[in-house]
Amino acid sequence: MVFNEVLKNLKNYEAGKPIELVVREYGIKDVIKLASNENPFGTSPLVKNALKNASNKAHLYPDDSYFELKEALSAKFSVTPKNLIIGSGSDQIIEFIAHVVLNEKNAILTAGITFAMYEIYASHLGAKTIKTPSQTHDLNQMLEIYKQNKDKIAAIFLCLPNNPLGECLDVSDVYAFMREISPDTLIVIDGAYNDFAKFKDAKKAIDPSDLIKNFKNAIFLGTFSKSYGLGGMRVGYGIADEFIINELAKLRAPFNITTLSLKSAIVALGDDDFVKKTFENNFEQMGVYERFCDEIGVSFIPSFTNFITIKFANSTQICDKLLKQGVILRNLASYGLDAVRITIGTPEQNEIVLNKLREILK
Ligand SMILES: *Cc1c(COP(=O)(O)O)cnc(C)c1O
């Protein structure tokens, strides 16, 4: 069989280990998973309730126009439904983006260490990924590289705040950078953690409506997987000028999210109390991790997300030991970094994890 050339160099995304694996391999029942930036409080009670009633619709395809969800998102972000595309997670929209602009002759530009899916989807199309020497987002370096490779770079991916490092930039700096970029280059702002940044420091939060008014070549990506607690439902969205949305929409298969996912997302948007509780717990508990780092003398990256990246010299050993004790964290060794990414959990989960860490580091 002759497989596509590009497959030769492809690597798979390493997802966070599932709870089921730890249960199977180590026979531990109470597993704590703080590895994939899921919501530690689960899903909004309103969504859980709606799902009970929605189960009698499971045999029906969803409304493929996603009318109600688009209305709700339009109202939330002050855009029109025509500015929106819905994906099976925002991951799927990254995939659509790759298909509409990339090929074996061009490239994307990203930060040195950022969300791995940009490079993976680019590689599916045979496109190159050019990264800044800086691990975190350095807009001066990006601009420099952009100017030298202008003909080649078809898209720039900014992950703000950045996963897996947690840093963020001021919107004014991002806009100043974007003004230097040709309108022919697509600029993707992956805002998976934008609402966490907004809660912590408003000047770092992108306003999608403002973004697309000012930049016709920009797309904002959002997800229900993090603050809204719907990782298992797979719903994400893209916000951009209509001319970009229309191209992306050509790649979207009908019914690309499920009837239950659609219902969950609509209801989740109406539960402000749940997300507020999520943000409050997140940054209060982030402080607990920061104080732990100061106490034991390890450094961390100040984070605008729902995780904290701690620079442990022996991250692989630490993660392995914790795994055997039923705690799943994200080792960043595969990113070439001696660091561990920990999703901020509930106070109870964090206390257990920190106690185990103290024990291991002794
Ligand atoms: C979680 C995440 C996403 C998308 O998640 P989906 O579950 O596919 O919506 C996208 N980008 C970043 C940086 C993320 O951390």
Side-chain angles (χ1 to χ4, degrees):
M1 201 174 293
V2 183
F3 290 112
N4 198 323
E5 266 306 295
V6 298
L7 290 170
K8 281 187 183 149
N9 304 316
L10 296 198
K11 31 179 203 230
N12 295 92
Y13 181 74
E14 184 207 335
K17 291 194 171 60
I19 290 173
E20 291 80 354
L21 177 136
V22 179
V23 175
R24 271 197 313 272
E25 291 200 357
Y26 304 108
I28 298 167
K29 274 206 257 25
D30 296 319
V31 177
I32 296 178
K33 183 189 181 198
L34 297 178
S36 298
N37 306 337
E38 292 143 329
N39 193 316
F41 295 119
T43 302
S44 142
L46 296 188
V47 172
K48 283 187 197 161
N49 216 30
L51 277 173
K52 280 185 211 145
N53 299 322
S55 64
N56 61 2
K57 296 258 174 68
H59 64 297
L60 295 173
Y61 286 120
D63 163 11
D64 186 57
S65 71
Y66 303 139
F67 178 84
E68 223 184 316
L69 177 57
K70 286 188 179 175
E71 286 292 318
L73 284 169
S74 304
K76 180 177 166 68
F77 291 116
S78 310
V79 296
T80 76
K82 288 182 175 166
N83 296 125
L84 287 163
I85 183 161
I86 306 299
S88 172
S90 56
D91 254 317
Q92 190 177 40
I93 299 169
I94 300 171
E95 186 177 12
F96 295 161
I97 289 169
H99 280 271
V100 298
V101 292
L102 301 181
N103 59 54
E104 62 285 341
K105 291 193 192 70
N106 61 23
I108 64 166
L109 174 59
T110 74
I113 294 186
T114 189
F115 193 50
M117 294 314 298
Y118 315 142
E119 181 171 11
I120 293 174
Y121 285 127
S123 67
H124 290 184
L125 279 298
K128 296 255 173 341
T129 296
I130 305 174
K131 298 177 190 179
T132 59
S134 167
Q135 295 175 338
T136 53
H137 286 71
D138 180 321
L139 295 174
N140 292 328
Q141 286 184 6
M142 276 204 174
L143 192 56
E144 192 75 6
I145 295 173
Y146 177 74
K147 283 178 178 162
Q148 284 161 13
N149 299 274
K150 216 171 183 163
D151 313 329
K152 223 176 151 210
I153 294 170
I156 301 172
F157 283 82
L158 302 176
C159 189
L160 300 171
N162 190 18
N163 179 11
L165 300 184
E167 95 278 4
C168 201
L169 300 171
D170 286 4
V171 175
S172 55
D173 293 336
V174 177
Y175 280 11
F177 166 78
M178 290 176 71
R179 282 187 213 105
E180 303 291 318
I181 304 301
S182 154
D184 290 331
T185 308
L186 180 63
I187 303 173
V188 183
I189 308 266
D190 187 341
Y193 305 95
N194 187 57
D195 48 358
F196 288 93
K198 188 173 176 182
F199 185 89
K200 184 173 176 179
D201 183 353
K203 70 179 183 302
K204 297 197 186 295
I206 298 277
D207 173 13
S209 162
D210 195 45
L211 175 79
I212 67 170
K213 253 183 238 134
N214 285 295
F215 301 98
K216 298 292 167 206
N217 58 333
I219 180 164
F220 177 89
L221 303 183
T223 178
F224 285 88
S225 298
K226 313 285 160 57
S227 53
Y228 287 104
L230 293 177
M233 283 293 169
R234 318 300 307 121
V235 189
Y237 51 89
I239 304 177
D241 194 275
E242 222 182 308
F243 90 97
I244 296 175
I245 296 296
N246 290 343
E247 296 305 309
L248 296 170
K250 293 175 184 172
L251 293 159
R252 188 185 68 82
F255 318 124
N256 61 322
I257 66 169
T258 72
T259 301
L260 299 189
S261 308
L262 178 60
K263 185 71 194 174
S264 306
I266 294 163
V267 175
L269 277 176
D271 194 346
D272 291 338
D273 291 346
F274 178 76
V275 282
K276 185 162 171 270
K277 175 181 154 191
T278 300
F279 299 144
E280 282 169 358
N281 172 75
N282 185 71
F283 288 109
E284 190 191 294
Q285 289 294 305
M286 182 96 69
V288 176
Y289 280 95
E290 290 172 350
R291 286 190 290 280
F292 164 81
C293 291
D294 291 342
E295 170 198 316
I296 65 162
V298 293
S299 62
F300 61 89
I301 303 171
S303 169
F304 294 85
T305 66
N306 64 348
F307 59 82
I308 184 163
T309 296
I310 304 179
K311 294 182 172 166
F312 289 115
N314 41 358
S315 64
T316 302
Q317 274 166 296
I318 290 173
C319 288
D320 286 351
K321 279 189 183 158
L322 280 173
L323 191 65
K324 288 182 184 125
Q325 297 183 36
V327 174
I328 317 175
L329 303 181
R330 186 60 188 266
N331 180 13
L332 297 183
S334 61
Y335 287 84
L337 205 63
D338 263 337
V340 179
R341 190 190 70 190
I342 307 177
T343 305
I344 307 299
T346 62
E348 298 74 27
Q349 290 176 322
N350 298 329
E351 195 183 330
I352 295 171
V353 171
L354 287 174
N355 283 340
K356 287 185 190 295
L357 266 172
R358 276 198 188 90
E359 208 39 48
I360 287 174
L361 294 168
K362 244 189 212 158

